Amino acid sequence: MRLSGAAASLAFFMAASALPISMFNSKRDYPPVISPKVFVINMFEYEAKPWLKAMDFPNNVTTPGLSPLYPDIYCNEEFSVCEMTTGEGEINASGSMTALGLSPMFNLTQTYFLISGIGGGEPQFTTMGSVTFAKYAVQVALQYQVSYQEFITTNKNWTSGYWGYGVSDPWTYPANVYGTEVFELNESLRDRAVELAETVDLDNGTDQNAVNRLLYDQDAARALPAVVKCDVLTSDNYFTGNVLGDYFSAYASMMTNGTAQYCSTAQEDNASLEALTRLSQAGLVDFARVVVMRTISDFTRPPPSRANDTVAWFNDPQSGGASAAFANLPIAGMPFVEDVLNNWDTIYLTGETYAPKNYIGDLFATLGGEPNFGKTSFEVA
Ligand SMILES: *[C@@H]1O[C@H](CO)[C@@H](O)[C@H](O)[C@H]1NC(C)=O
Ligand SMILES: *[C@@H]1O[C@H](CO)[C@@H](O)[C@H](O)[C@H]1NC(C)=O
Ligand SMILES: *[C@@H]1O[C@H](CO)[C@@H](O)[C@H](O)[C@H]1NC(C)=O
Ligand SMILES: *[C@@H]1O[C@H](CO)[C@@H](O)[C@H](O)[C@H]1NC(C)=O
Ligand SMILES: *[C@@H]1O[C@H](CO)[C@@H](O)[C@H](O)[C@H]1NC(C)=O
Ligand SMILES: *[C@@H]1O[C@H](CO)[C@@H](O)[C@H](O)[C@H]1NC(C)=O
Ligand SMILES: *[C@@H]1O[C@H](CO)[C@@H](O)[C@H](O)[C@H]1NC(C)=O
Ligand SMILES: *[C@@H]1O[C@H](CO)[C@@H](O)[C@H](O)[C@H]1NC(C)=O
Ligand SMILES: CC(=O)N[C@H]1CO[C@H](CO)[C@@H](O)[C@@H]1O
């Protein structure tokens, strides 16, 4: 997750009612191997709660290797939809996803994954409560960094102190990469999820959200929440403000050779996608069946009236809370879940209808194909 302004607005979710979950009482309740049609992936409890309220998940499958905070996977009556909470940050997300993918209790070869989390939103594309669906995920903090005090006199035109591996300034494409910097997802499937999400009434948020939106100049920020096609970036480092926003936006564009349009932050997606890439390479999941949805809990940048003190704004954004971001996870994601369930035999089983027409996978073409980003070879780091 990435949620600013203290956990201010979370009281509503803490009061959420008891979950409709019971333990397995006997082994005969378990299918020998669970093959869900859809897996909803959340990163922390406030993202999971609205899903667990929106659907009945009577089955509790304790799975080795998950986060100790979230050791159980929940499945609906028919085991056609399951939910996992990974824990937050890149390390927790990749560990949990790998554990799930290697669990002998699940067969995920035909499963559709809906990564469903909240993130900070870029005001030129989103507003609080907006729902974003990504084609690209870019890991932005995997770079060199030096502190402000040590570059400001010697490198006056550097803005952020970050620069790419193997090069000597922030404007040059990296000479080497670790390989998790960029993932490209199945665009046809993403577009289907967007088309479905556009049919629902989103939660518009609180009165204070409405006041806060009008502090921004951008049309998207001032408007009511909407469903948007734009890209997510991942960073364990929870950054904020205009300088890093501009730098990471330019970096995401550079790393995808000008194609990614970053609009939402996250702390996990590249990590989960790296695990799914490896699992896909091993034939255990289908990377073409992954959708990344991030709803917007807060802005990545201060409004102009508070841009003279970004730290004070971030610590007390007076934004009206993140309730719409949490509420909109199942509101915007459920039509996709239902579409997969209702049209399994005709559309989703073979996956041909929404077969990707774009490249899918990472910078190294691990899953085959030819990316329109990256280089044919990188130096060894
Ligand atoms: C799920 O099962 C585990 C292990 O049996 C148990 O500790 C846990 O309380 C159960 N959770 C729920 C929500 O029923
Ligand atoms: C997983 O399910 C697929 C599709 O039904 C099947 O072809 C495959 O054999 C199963 N894998 C295992 C290990 O059972
Ligand atoms: C930054 O300054 C350096 C030297 O002072 C110059 O070589 C470089 O072109 C400048 N970069 C940009 C993007 O202005
Ligand atoms: C993270 O993954 C996304 C695609 O899912 C990709 O576009 C992005 O470049 C990746 N970021 C990094 C820094 O690897
Ligand atoms: C949010 O506002 C829009 C536009 O006024 C409206 O159509 C929609 O019904 C509202 N959503 C809810 C949940 O009331
Ligand atoms: C920033 O601007 C606001 C509004 O003009 C003003 O009230 C505040 O004192 C300023 N803060 C700083 C740190 O200059
Ligand atoms: C993209 O998703 C659609 C819908 O499931 C599927 O039909 C298609 O095969 C996927 N693309 C790839 C390259 O797997
Ligand atoms: C992406 O940009 C880099 C740096 O300019 C370049 O070396 C590389 O060839 C480009 N990749 C593609 C696929 O165009
Ligand atoms: C924030 C979060 O989810 N942290 C978890 C990351 O993983 C460690 C080790 O498994 C857990 O203890 C944390 O709770």
Side-chain angles (χ1 to χ4, degrees), residues 199-219:
T199 64
V200 298
D201 268 353
L202 297 177
D203 186 314
N204 292 317
T206 62
D207 291 347
Q208 181 60 27
N209 289 157
V211 170
N212 185 253
R213 286 175 188 133
L214 296 179
L215 298 176
Y216 287 82
D217 294 332
Q218 297 90 337
D219 292 343

Side-chain angles (χ1 to χ4, degrees), residues 112 186 188-189 286 288-289 347-348 350-356 360:
Y112 287 81
N186 184 341
S188 310
L189 187 63
D286 179 356
R289 299 184 176 209
I347 294 180
Y348 288 96
T350 65
E352 280 157 16
T353 310
Y354 299 108
I360 60 167

Side-chain angles (χ1 to χ4, degrees), residues 237-317:
N237 178 348
Y238 192 144
F239 65 88
T240 189
N242 285 306
V243 173
L244 288 177
D246 288 347
Y247 176 70
F248 286 137
S249 186
Y251 179 81
S253 174
M254 176 169 78
M255 288 307 290
T256 55
N257 291 53
T259 50
Q261 194 161 67
Y262 144 65
C263 68
S264 172
T265 59
Q267 290 181 294
E268 297 88 7
D269 292 344
N270 278 56
S272 304
L273 294 170
E274 174 58 25
L276 288 166
T277 299
R278 294 185 191 182
L279 293 164
S280 193
Q281 195 179 17
L284 294 171
V285 306
D286 179 356
F287 195 77
R289 299 184 176 209
V290 179
V291 173
V292 173
M293 174 179 75
R294 286 275 170 181
T295 59
I296 302 306
S297 54
D298 58 326
F299 286 110
T300 52
R301 301 156 183 259
S305 57
R306 300 193 63 191
N308 59 357
D309 192 347
T310 297
V311 173
W313 163 76
F314 180 79
N315 287 333
D316 183 17

Side-chain angles (χ1 to χ4, degrees), residues 134-142 179-185 231-234 251-252 255-256 260 269-271 273 287 292 361 363 373:
K135 175 175 167 189
Y136 292 100
V138 184
Q139 183 184 16
V140 295
L142 214 49
T180 55
E181 286 85 351
V182 184
F183 295 94
E184 182 167 343
L185 300 167
D231 300 312
V232 65
L233 58 77
T234 294
Y251 179 81
M255 288 307 290
T256 55
D269 292 344
N270 278 56
L273 294 170
F287 195 77
V292 173
L363 273 169
F373 52 86

Side-chain angles (χ1 to χ4, degrees), residues 48-277:
K49 272 184 177 167
W51 278 104
L52 298 176
K53 272 186 78 173
M55 292 187 72
D56 259 0
F57 287 101
N59 295 307
N60 170 1
V61 186
T62 304
T63 305
L66 303 192
S67 164
L69 284 180
Y70 311 107
D72 305 316
I73 281 167
Y74 300 124
C75 299
N76 67 352
E77 187 67 42
E78 300 80 22
F79 291 91
S80 56
V81 183
C82 296
E83 185 276 344
M84 173 176 78
T85 306
T86 62
E88 296 167 273
E90 297 176 42
I91 293 173
N92 280 334
S94 63
S96 299
M97 190 65 81
T98 301
L100 167 64
L102 295 179
S103 169
M105 295 190 290
F106 291 91
N107 180 340
L108 305 172
T109 52
Q110 296 177 324
T111 301
Y112 287 81
F113 290 89
L114 176 60
I115 296 180
S116 164
I118 61 163
E122 285 277 86
Q124 65 270 44
F125 301 116
T126 67
T127 194
M128 291 181 65
S130 286
V131 180
T132 72
F133 287 90
K135 175 175 167 189
Y136 292 100
V138 184
Q139 183 184 16
V140 295
L142 214 49
Q143 301 190 56
Y144 302 133
Q145 186 190 15
V146 64
S147 184
Y148 172 82
Q149 294 87 338
E150 291 173 86
F151 71 78
I152 196 61
T153 53
T154 52
N155 303 73
K156 289 192 195 319
N157 60 3
W158 289 28
T159 56
S160 72
Y162 280 96
W163 71 109
Y165 289 150
V167 296
S168 42
D169 66 66
W171 304 285
T172 305
Y173 191 90
N176 58 62
V177 292
Y178 290 173
T180 55
E181 286 85 351
V182 184
F183 295 94
E184 182 167 343
L185 300 167
N186 184 341
E187 188 174 18
S188 310
L189 187 63
R190 186 278 298 264
D191 291 351
R192 177 65 181 161
V194 166
E195 192 183 305
L196 292 161
E198 281 171 341
T199 64
V200 298
D201 268 353
L202 297 177
D203 186 314
N204 292 317
T206 62
D207 291 347
Q208 181 60 27
N209 289 157
V211 170
N212 185 253
R213 286 175 188 133
L214 296 179
L215 298 176
Y216 287 82
D217 294 332
Q218 297 90 337
D219 292 343
R222 297 170 68 86
L224 286 171
V227 177
V228 200
K229 294 180 189 178
C230 52
D231 300 312
V232 65
L233 58 77
T234 294
S235 165
D236 272 336
N237 178 348
Y238 192 144
F239 65 88
T240 189
N242 285 306
V243 173
L244 288 177
D246 288 347
Y247 176 70
F248 286 137
S249 186
Y251 179 81
S253 174
M254 176 169 78
M255 288 307 290
T256 55
N257 291 53
T259 50
Q261 194 161 67
Y262 144 65
C263 68
S264 172
T265 59
Q267 290 181 294
E268 297 88 7
D269 292 344
N270 278 56
S272 304
L273 294 170
E274 174 58 25
L276 288 166
T277 299

